[in-house]
Amino acid sequence: MRTRPAQVKIPPRIEGLIRVTRRLPMADRILAAADRLFYRKGIRAVGVDAVAAEAGISKRSLYDTFPSKEALVAAYLRQRIRPLPPSDAPPAQQVLALFDQLHARFAAGDFRGCPFVNAVTELAEDCKTARAIAADYKEQRRRHIAALLARAGAGEPEALSGHIALLLEGAIVSMLIRNDPAGALQARDAAAILMQAAGALPR
Amino acid sequence: MRTRPAQVKIPPRIEGLIRVTRRLPMADRILAAADRLFYRKGIRAVGVDAVAAEAGISKRSLYDTFPSKEALVAAYLRQRIRPLPPSDAPPAQQVLALFDQLHARFAAGDFRGCPFVNAVTELAEDCKTARAIAADYKEQRRRHIAALLARAGAGEPEALSGHIALLLEGAIVSMLIRNDPAGALQARDAAAILMQAAGALPR
DNA sequence: TGCATTCCACACAGATCGGTGTGGAAAAGC
DNA sequence: GCTTTTCCACACCGATCTGTGTGGAATGCA
């Protein structure tokens, strides 16, 4: 996590297309390893040596692919942003299903919280990039919820989506501390009450 | 954070009362310094040298007072547990006031999340102690809220207190990521709706 | 004054951290 | 075949980490 003297070493041949394609699996292997370790053990707790070992490559190759650990962490976070799969269920049910999905992830056993929040917490003072990625992701998800709520006929979908998002975050933290998947269902109950009060759910 | 070979070095004189009293300010100075640094920069990011320097003492004295960094971290967390001040306001207002207090802390500018949650996140795999302390604290707070809600006439104070607690956690995370104190007020709005639906607030 | 206790300054151990330099083996393209 | 590119094994750098050992200065108490 030191300063970075700008390397990356441009290949002699100008056309990098083939080269990039060739290099992709390498970057993917590293990212997959980083994802496992960073998420499970924490970013600060995992050194680059451990990532390289987990990926089955040398540290040298890691540093030929990513210029620094900081860049690797940023790539790890960006790769964690995945769009929500589309669904043709009723919008209100889709919102409630978010809590059920959370519950399933809790019950899976390897839950370690939200990777974005964890990164911001761990990196503390030097987390500008992580914070930006995290804020982007959270806002994108909230908008998605707001759109669903609007279709469901909620009175103030913007405000309600914020409330729902708060409950989702709260459920994650609750699971982290209490290690009890039931928190997701409590949050679902609260969400249902709020949605009902906002007219987004038949009473 | 290595293994700890059990020192503490019993003083020759058996009567430790005077000694303990004398040593208390030392432990307090260390804890105050640790609190500042651990909370602001994170536990893993702060070395014992930094704590000693912040406390204005030598590293040797720190290790004469606390046997290891792990013990210091545990003391830091335990010291963060403070009882909520009693109030003679109406119980429902006391619950809503929790969100206002959170909002005030957000606006103060030095907010860095919940120290217990942060500790569990940072320590990841070796966080048994931290998790236990955190769970204790959260449960104690939830009980306090449940008692208030029962006095306020809520239908199911236990369930509602869980919902309120989720909103408080969510507000903290939201502030951490978005850096916008308004999240506390959003959470307050949601809490008010839930309390109204549960009959704990006049409509 | 003499004695006991605190405490510090300093040096050090052993480990791990992020990051680099190098020489050569393996593999791919021609 | 040869050349170019990838990749690895390995050694190394300086910094920082937790934790210890030690001798002596300051301090409090009699």
Side-chain angles (χ1 to χ4, degrees):
Chain A
M1 208 74 81
R2 302 283 154 72
T3 56
R4 172 171 62 95
Q7 52 165 154
V8 166
K9 191 189 284 179
I10 304 137
R13 300 275 181 85
I14 310 103
E15 270 61 50
L17 251 183
I18 318 164
R19 215 154 317 283
V20 165
T21 337
R22 175 90 39 74
R23 182 166 282 180
L24 251 179
M26 170 66 82
D28 283 350
R29 285 172 70 185
I30 297 172
L31 276 178
D35 190 89
R36 282 192 294 273
L37 295 182
F38 284 163
Y39 183 67
R40 191 180 331 142
K41 300 174 189 288
I43 293 172
R44 283 205 123 100
V46 171
V48 287
D49 301 77
V51 174
E54 172 86 7
I57 62 158
S58 74
K59 187 160 66 158
R60 205 66 193 82
S61 301
L62 193 155
Y63 274 101
D64 284 344
T65 309
F66 294 96
S68 67
K69 182 179 180 180
E70 199 173 333
L72 176 60
V73 169
Y76 152 65
L77 289 178
R78 271 188 272 269
Q79 161 251 189
R80 273 268 171 178
I81 298 183
R82 289 155 200 158
L84 292 173
S87 161
D88 52 358
Q93 296 310 314
Q94 285 188 51
V95 172
L96 291 178
L98 294 175
F99 294 91
D100 294 325
Q101 289 153 21
L102 209 54
H103 181 256
R105 282 170 52 203
F106 289 176
D110 57 348
F111 187 76
R112 257 273 300 159
C114 167
F116 306 106
V117 175
N118 291 358
V120 170
T121 298
E122 281 197 83
L123 271 31
E125 296 194 317
D126 31 278
C127 73
K128 266 193 58 180
T129 310
R131 200 179 210 143
I133 296 175
D136 264 19
Y137 170 77
K138 301 288 186 195
E139 176 59 12
Q140 165 190 319
R141 204 190 47 175
R142 194 201 56 79
R143 269 163 148 68
H144 180 241
I145 296 172
L148 289 174
L149 290 171
R151 283 176 48 206
E156 300 183 70
E158 291 301 317
L160 181 54
S161 68
H163 299 168
I164 302 287
L166 289 176
L167 287 170
L168 286 168
E169 298 297 348
I172 291 173
V173 172
S174 161
M175 172 65 188
L176 244 187
I177 300 301
R178 291 168 27 208
N179 209 30
D180 176 14
L185 303 182
Q186 288 180 45
R188 194 193 131 111
D189 290 344
I193 296 172
L194 291 174
M195 288 168 69
Q196 203 165 301
L201 216 56
R203 48 180 62 240
Chain B
M1 207 77 79
R2 300 286 153 70
T3 56
R4 172 169 63 95
Q7 52 163 158
V8 168
K9 191 191 283 180
I10 306 136
R13 299 275 182 86
I14 309 103
E15 270 63 48
L17 250 182
I18 318 164
R19 213 155 319 281
V20 167
T21 338
R22 176 88 41 71
R23 182 167 281 180
L24 251 179
M26 170 67 81
D28 283 350
R29 284 173 71 186
I30 297 172
L31 276 178
D35 189 89
R36 282 192 295 272
L37 295 182
F38 285 162
Y39 183 67
R40 191 181 329 146
K41 300 174 190 288
I43 293 171
R44 284 204 121 101
V46 170
V48 287
D49 303 77
V51 174
E54 171 85 9
I57 61 157
S58 76
K59 187 160 63 157
R60 205 69 192 78
S61 300
L62 192 156
Y63 274 101
D64 284 344
T65 310
F66 295 97
S68 68
K69 182 180 179 179
E70 200 173 332
L72 176 58
V73 169
Y76 151 66
L77 289 177
R78 270 188 272 270
Q79 162 251 188
R80 273 270 171 175
I81 298 182
R82 290 156 199 158
L84 291 173
S87 161
D88 52 359
Q93 296 310 312
Q94 285 187 51
V95 173
L96 291 178
L98 293 174
F99 294 91
D100 295 323
Q101 289 153 20
L102 209 53
H103 182 256
R105 279 169 54 202
F106 289 177
D110 56 349
F111 187 75
R112 259 272 302 157
C114 168
F116 306 107
V117 175
N118 291 358
V120 171
T121 298
E122 281 198 84
L123 272 30
E125 296 194 318
D126 30 277
C127 71
K128 267 192 57 180
T129 311
R131 199 178 210 145
I133 296 175
D136 264 19
Y137 170 77
K138 302 289 186 191
E139 176 59 10
Q140 166 190 319
R141 205 191 45 176
R142 193 201 58 79
R143 269 165 150 64
H144 179 240
I145 296 172
L148 289 174
L149 290 171
R151 283 176 49 206
E156 300 183 71
E158 291 301 316
L160 182 54
S161 68
H163 299 167
I164 301 287
L166 288 176
L167 287 170
L168 286 168
E169 298 297 349
I172 290 173
V173 172
S174 161
M175 174 64 188
L176 244 187
I177 301 299
R178 293 170 25 211
N179 209 28
D180 176 14
L185 303 182
Q186 287 180 45
R188 193 194 131 114
D189 290 344
I193 295 172
L194 290 174
M195 289 168 68
Q196 203 166 303
L201 216 57
R203 47 181 58 239

